[in-house]
Amino acid sequence: MSAPMTAPMTELNPIKALLAQVPFMVIDGALATELEALGCDLNDALWSARLLAQAPEKIRQVHQAYFEAGADCAITASYQATVPGFMQAGLTAEEARALIQLSVTLAQQARDAVWQPGQTDRPKPLIAASVGPYGAYLADGSEYRGGYDLDRAGLVAFHRERFELLLAAGADLLAAETLPSLEEALAITDLLAEHPGAQAWITFSAKDGQHISDGTPIAKCAAALANCPGVAAIGVNCTALAHIESLIKEIRRECDLPIVVYPNSGEVYDPVTKTWHSATCDHTAADLSGLAQGVEHWLAAGASGFGGCCRTSPEDIQALAQWRRSR
């Protein structure tokens, strides 16, 4: 007899289960940055998702590098992978669906090459299937602005097929990431409610230490999501290092869920030119030189999952894992 789908969240939440074994979860780092380092050209509306069709072995290679560096969780190459997006690139709907599910398989294969059943020196790593925002599909930088032309119902409809494909592919949870608005986050919770037992973390892109990209206070977002079934964690990604500690504190004031953060390296992204530049603002005590240097502050603020977003590397994740081992 199968377990009831109304099991307590603490039994279903894979992040809480992992955190019962380690002081904090180490998330992987940038996928696109490493793919470019391997010689891949990502100058395309599909970004790294294009390589699901053209060079899947490169994606698997990057996942494996992060697992070997000590990551407890890999985020799949499905951030910009949607059926409409693939079809606009000339694929059939059936081919698009297969590629979306391949993103999970590649991460699973990389995990299986590094972690074996019965291994006791580290917990079994998680596969978090990336669900990028509607703005990623638009490929116009609006994941850093919000202000979409879709309402909540329209966002539910947009996300539904990929959401279901990734769950069916066997991901441990979904990573609804770089969301610029609370409305899009609530659309994700609507889909979670349609699929009892499904789990997702929800992370926002943020413009400063208190507000997500469209200007909504992140404390308001945390309060709205705190008790939604299936929300395994709340946090921020693709955000400047300087803002992370404050954002964690704002979230922690409003909810008791695990908080995950995976900021950018410290450089500044121009979504118009799609280029990176060194930060020119004055550095504060919170604007730390690297991920490992921030962990102690972020742990104290209330977070329990750390990784890297744009312009980070396996070396950054290895430093996080080494910091954890050293303590």
Side-chain angles (χ1 to χ4, degrees):
M1 183 176 179
S2 60
M5 296 307 290
T6 56
M9 286 295 296
T10 53
E11 293 179 16
L12 295 173
N13 188 329
I15 295 177
K16 287 186 176 180
L18 190 143
L19 290 174
Q21 304 173 67
V22 291
F24 60 83
M25 178 174 68
V26 177
I27 305 167
D28 66 4
L31 179 63
T33 301
E34 285 304 295
L35 289 171
E36 289 176 332
L38 292 174
C40 300
D41 180 7
L42 303 184
N43 187 20
D44 188 274
L46 289 173
W47 202 32
S48 55
R50 181 170 65 89
L51 299 186
L52 289 168
Q54 297 183 357
E57 72 283 353
K58 297 290 188 183
I59 294 173
R60 184 172 57 243
Q61 180 180 344
V62 174
H63 284 318
Q64 185 167 334
Y66 280 117
F67 282 132
E68 290 172 344
D72 299 312
C73 181
I75 303 172
T76 65
S78 49
Y79 177 83
Q80 214 136 347
T82 65
V83 173
F86 278 130
M87 292 180 69
Q88 288 170 13
L91 281 71
T92 67
E94 184 177 357
E95 289 169 333
R97 295 181 186 109
L99 289 177
I100 289 170
Q101 294 195 309
L102 177 63
S103 71
V104 176
T105 301
L106 293 171
Q108 291 169 331
Q109 289 173 346
R111 175 179 63 187
D112 292 346
V114 174
W115 188 91
Q116 302 300 319
Q119 191 170 333
T120 59
D121 61 336
R122 63 189 291 188
K124 182 179 181 181
L126 300 174
I127 306 300
S130 177
V131 177
Y134 177 59
Y137 160 71
L138 297 176
D140 62 357
S142 57
E143 63 261 53
Y144 306 108
R145 299 191 306 268
Y148 298 150
D149 57 356
L150 291 183
D151 61 10
R152 180 167 167 178
L155 290 166
V156 170
F158 169 78
H159 283 295
R160 179 176 281 113
E161 183 171 24
R162 175 174 51 172
F163 186 102
E164 294 175 346
L165 286 167
L166 292 169
L167 287 178
D172 297 299
L173 74 163
L174 303 179
E177 53 181 354
T178 329
L179 304 187
S181 70
L182 176 56
E183 185 171 46
E184 189 161 23
L186 292 173
I188 297 296
T189 67
D190 291 341
L191 288 167
L192 288 169
E194 293 178 7
H195 299 82
Q199 296 279 304
W201 80 48
I202 294 177
T203 55
F204 298 92
S205 61
K207 62 191 296 184
D208 56 33
Q210 288 80 38
H211 303 89
I212 65 173
S213 289
D214 75 346
T216 303
I218 199 164
K220 178 180 178 180
C221 300
L225 300 174
N227 297 305
C228 293
V231 177
I234 302 173
V236 291
N237 74 292
C238 210
T239 295
L241 285 163
H243 304 321
I244 298 301
E245 185 175 355
S246 173
L247 290 162
I248 293 168
K249 291 177 179 178
E250 292 292 307
I251 296 169
R252 181 51 72 222
R253 285 196 297 109
E254 299 295 340
C255 84
D256 296 323
L257 285 168
I259 297 173
V260 297
V261 294
Y262 43 114
N264 295 332
S265 65
E267 296 172 82
V268 178
Y269 182 65
D270 183 335
V272 177
T273 63
K274 295 181 169 58
T275 55
W276 289 89
H277 306 279
S278 297
T280 57
C281 61
D282 292 335
H283 287 258
T284 68
D287 195 1
L288 301 154
S289 60
L291 302 178
Q293 288 80 3
V295 171
E296 190 168 359
H297 298 268
W298 303 337
L299 275 171
S304 52
F306 311 105
C309 203
C310 299
R311 310 290 278 188
T312 58
S313 69
E315 289 73 25
D316 294 304
I317 301 313
Q318 184 176 41
L320 284 176
Q322 288 175 341
W323 192 94
R324 186 174 72 183
R325 284 194 299 270
S326 72
R327 286 154 177 79

